[in-house]
Amino acid sequence: MLSASASFKSITRENGAEVNKLTDSDDGDSGIQVLPTPKAKRLGQTGGFEAPVFACLDDEQDGGNTELEDSDGDSLPDPANASQAILNHNRHKSVSCAASPLSTPHVRRSASTTSVSIPCVKRKSTRDISHFDDGDDAHSSLKKKRAKKDPVQARLEKEAKARSKQASAEEKKRNKAEAVQRKKLEKAEEKERKDAERAKEKESKVLNKLVSSRNDTLKDMTIEFTPALLQNPSPLLNAIPKIRARILEENKEANATISSPITTFHPEPPLANILNLVRWKRRIVSKYDDNEKEWKPVEEAYDRIEGSWLLYWTLKDLASQVQNPGTEQISKSLAALRAHLGSRYQLFLLIDHSGNQWSKLSQDVRNQVEAHLVTLQVEHNCFVIRAQDSEDLVRRFFDLTADLGFKPHKLIERSHLAFCSKIKKSDAIGINGSAKIYHRMLQQIYRVTDPIADNITKDTCPTLRSLLEAYEQPQMTARRRDNLLVGVEMGNNRKVGSAISSRIAAVFTGEDSLSLVGK
């Protein structure tokens, strides 16, 4: 048994661990040593407190009795009481090492000693111990602090959260609406783009539709007269309503963009004194692209004056001027036109025979008139047209208008050689078969007549090979190639000029199958 003077002694080891040892003032060491358990060792290595273990001598013969005795046979204190004593001793030293009230010390018996392990907790500071002891009071005070929150502040926070949530919802709704609107706009733009492409393709098909009739071009043509021709009495003044009716009759779309197929114009100086002038105006809605070989629409339609002008005179006025040379005005008017317009413009001189005026002239006057007209053609490079009556006058103006309107399309049509359909298979067989085919090939070119083809195949270049070799000579320049066939006989004491010769050269040496060669 332990004496009343027994007590616990705190011992600090070399490794820094602090343990409690039970001592007796009478006998010195009581024989019970407090040892650290393995778990306490681990806690001690990390800065914790090593749990004490009571070690004492045990009787090997007690048969597993858990009661502890000292060497004198006296009973040792109960382990649970000893644990409580240790806790009370350490609490005075600000050491928290309380045994769990729900557990009992672990007793390990051996032949010589019995070890009792007492669970401990980590050492805490005084503040921690007080907090641990007064945990319920701290929890209740925290609840009181939470309960005492300012209601105004709580209401403001709640309202702020509500506003934030509402703003977020509104922004989300607005973004969604903007996305829907943007998608609609993109869809509309895509639809407009596709509609524009379809309209453009449709317009291109309409513009590039083959124009096979000259009447189809009347819708773009307008005849312009000087005011004097529409005011002074003359056969033309009476024929103008019939000319308008004929144009509208032949094509219902005539002048769809212009108010009337017949209008007036005022010539500018030096043509202001010429009172009987006629010209033509075309409405331009497309242009031919030489690179892409198709008609392209223009950005904005406009009017263009054609390169053909007409001078109107009656046979009676012509005969009067021939008989009185001092009053001659036709030659002066033609000279002024040619000087102002240049050599590339076409000039027409229309002589109106309406009213049976030709039969009223004597033979001598007729001869003078014919001679004067030939002189005018040669001097001023003009074409003479004669109208026998009012109906013929209407037909002349209609034909001129339709031919001028069809001219660009006819130029393209001439550039495509016609297929040689008249030649027979039997013509290609035999000795002269290749010569016949060569002759037919030449005839397909615009304005190459049969006499021209005969003279080329007989004298100049008998075979196609010889013609191609002549064009491919090293010393052959572009100018010499275009003039290679100039001078070939074409019948009626006429010879091939540079226009026909260059056209033949373009057909046989050109590399662009769609180039314009019918100029």
Side-chain angles (χ1 to χ4, degrees):
M1 296 295 292
L2 294 174
S3 63
S5 60
S7 63
F8 288 94
K9 184 179 181 180
S10 176
I11 301 175
T12 303
R13 293 184 176 181
E14 294 179 357
N15 59 357
E18 183 176 327
V19 299
N20 296 322
K21 187 175 182 181
L22 184 64
T23 60
D24 191 354
S25 62
D26 297 336
D27 299 333
D29 193 351
S30 64
I32 299 176
Q33 185 180 2
V34 181
L35 301 178
T37 62
K39 182 174 181 181
K41 288 181 179 181
R42 288 195 300 272
L43 292 173
Q45 291 174 359
T46 58
F49 179 74
E50 292 187 1
V53 177
F54 292 97
C56 66
L57 296 175
D58 192 10
D59 186 2
E60 296 179 357
Q61 305 297 327
D62 59 0
N65 185 9
T66 59
E67 183 180 2
L68 302 178
E69 294 181 358
D70 61 0
S71 61
D72 296 334
D74 295 335
S75 298
L76 294 175
D78 184 75
N81 296 331
S83 174
Q84 185 64 36
I86 293 171
L87 290 176
N88 293 333
H89 175 73
N90 291 336
R91 182 174 298 176
H92 291 288
K93 296 183 179 182
S94 301
V95 177
S96 177
C97 185
S100 174
L102 300 179
S103 62
T104 59
H106 177 69
V107 179
R108 184 177 60 193
R109 296 179 60 86
S110 63
S112 59
T113 62
T114 299
S115 299
V116 180
S117 299
I118 301 175
C120 296
V121 296
K122 288 182 68 175
R123 180 182 300 176
K124 294 185 179 180
S125 62
T126 305
R127 184 177 58 182
D128 296 334
I129 294 174
S130 63
H131 178 70
F132 177 78
D133 295 337
D134 301 333
D136 295 339
D137 296 338
H139 185 64
S140 60
S141 63
L142 182 62
K143 285 185 177 180
K144 290 180 179 179
K145 289 181 180 179
R146 291 179 180 176
K148 291 180 180 180
K149 191 174 183 179
D150 188 4
V152 178
Q153 183 67 21
R155 180 176 57 81
L156 293 177
E157 291 179 358
K158 185 176 181 180
E159 291 177 356
K161 289 181 179 180
R163 287 193 299 269
S164 178
K165 186 176 181 180
Q166 184 180 2
S168 177
E170 290 178 355
E171 183 179 2
K172 185 176 180 180
K173 184 178 180 181
R174 183 170 60 255
N175 292 338
K176 185 177 180 180
E178 291 177 357
V180 173
Q181 186 66 19
R182 184 167 56 254
K183 188 174 182 181
K184 288 183 179 180
L185 291 176
E186 292 176 355
K187 189 175 181 180
E189 291 177 357
E190 182 68 15
K191 184 177 181 300
E192 291 179 359
R193 185 183 64 80
K194 291 182 178 180
D195 292 343
E197 290 180 355
R198 285 193 292 267
K200 187 176 180 180
E201 291 178 359
K202 184 177 180 181
E203 184 182 8
S204 179
K205 289 181 180 180
V206 173
L207 293 177
N208 289 278
K209 184 180 179 181
L210 180 63
V211 179
S212 58
S213 175
R214 64 178 189 173
N215 293 348
D216 295 337
T217 62
L218 292 173
K219 63 181 182 298
D220 300 324
M221 300 302 296
T222 302
I223 309 175
E224 293 187 331
F225 296 90
T226 54
L229 290 175
L230 300 180
Q231 296 174 0
N232 299 332
S234 66
L236 178 60
L237 180 62
N238 299 330
I240 285 178
K242 298 179 181 179
I243 296 172
R244 181 186 291 107
R246 174 72 183 277
I247 293 175
L248 296 176
E249 179 183 356
E250 293 294 339
N251 193 340
K252 295 181 180 180
E253 298 181 1
N255 282 328
T257 58
I258 303 176
S259 59
S260 174
I262 295 178
T263 59
T264 61
F265 78 103
H266 298 273
E268 298 178 357
L271 306 180
N273 296 328
I274 304 177
L275 304 179
N276 48 355
L277 275 178
V278 181
R279 69 180 185 185
W280 284 263
K281 181 172 65 177
R282 182 192 301 272
R283 186 71 171 176
I284 302 297
V285 296
S286 62
K287 280 188 175 183
Y288 187 77
D289 191 337
D290 292 332
N291 296 327
E292 299 187 13
K293 310 302 180 186
E294 65 178 7
W295 292 93
K296 296 287 187 179
V298 297
E299 295 182 358
E300 185 177 357
Y302 62 94
D303 295 331
R304 184 186 69 190
I305 303 300
E306 292 294 293
S308 300
W309 293 58
L310 183 141
L311 190 62
Y312 173 81
W313 287 95
T314 62
L315 179 59
K316 182 179 180 180
D317 294 335
L318 175 60
S320 176
Q321 294 179 25
V322 169
Q323 294 176 359
N324 301 290
T327 61
E328 207 275 331
Q329 296 293 330
I330 298 177
S331 181
K332 294 180 180 179
S333 299
L334 290 174
L337 283 172
R338 181 58 67 191
H340 179 70
L341 300 176
S343 60
R344 297 183 63 87
Y345 277 69
Q346 281 186 325
L347 295 183
F348 296 97
L349 176 60
L350 193 150
I351 306 300
D352 190 359
H353 291 216
S354 300
N356 201 16
Q357 298 179 18
W358 183 257
S359 61
K360 297 179 181 180
L361 298 177
S362 62
Q363 188 62 40
D364 185 39
V365 175
R366 292 179 185 178
N367 294 336
Q368 292 179 8
V369 169
E370 293 290 347
H372 188 66
L373 291 176
V374 172
T375 303
L376 293 176
Q377 292 183 61
V378 174
E379 289 181 354
H380 306 292
N381 190 21
C382 65
F383 299 92
V384 176
I385 302 175
R386 302 189 185 192
Q388 301 300 328
D389 51 27
S390 178
E391 295 298 328
D392 191 24
L393 185 62
V394 173
R395 182 178 62 83
R396 293 290 185 178
F397 271 99
F398 175 81
D399 290 342
L400 285 171
T401 305
D403 290 340
L404 290 174
F406 188 65
K407 185 177 180 179
H409 304 278
K410 192 174 183 180
L411 180 62
I412 297 174
E413 182 183 3
R414 290 174 182 173
S415 300
H416 302 282
L417 302 181
F419 181 69
C420 189
S421 59
K422 295 183 179 180
I423 192 170
K424 300 179 181 179
K425 185 177 180 180
S426 59
D427 295 338
I429 301 175
I431 299 175
N432 297 326
S434 59
K436 292 179 180 179
I437 295 177
Y438 175 39
H439 188 275
R440 291 288 187 183
M441 289 172 63
L442 290 172
Q443 286 185 303
Q444 304 312 308
I445 303 174
Y446 176 63
R447 285 191 176 180
V448 177
T449 60
D450 187 68
I452 296 176
D454 288 339
N455 292 325
I456 292 175
T457 56
K458 289 179 180 179
D459 302 328
T460 309
C461 299
T463 62
L464 177 60
R465 184 183 184 86
S466 63
L467 178 63
L468 296 177
E469 289 178 350
Y471 284 129
E472 294 176 356
Q473 292 179 6
Q475 69 275 15
M476 187 66 65
T477 61
R479 183 179 181 85
R480 294 184 63 182
R481 182 172 59 248
D482 292 341
N483 296 329
L484 179 65
L485 301 178
V486 172
V488 175
E489 295 291 337
M490 56 184 302
N492 298 325
N493 297 326
R494 299 176 61 191
K495 296 182 179 181
V496 174
S498 60
I500 297 178
S501 177
S502 62
R503 189 177 297 119
I504 296 174
V507 170
F508 285 98
T509 62
E511 297 180 356
D512 187 0
S513 61
L514 298 178
S515 62
L516 301 180
V517 298
K519 297 180 181 179

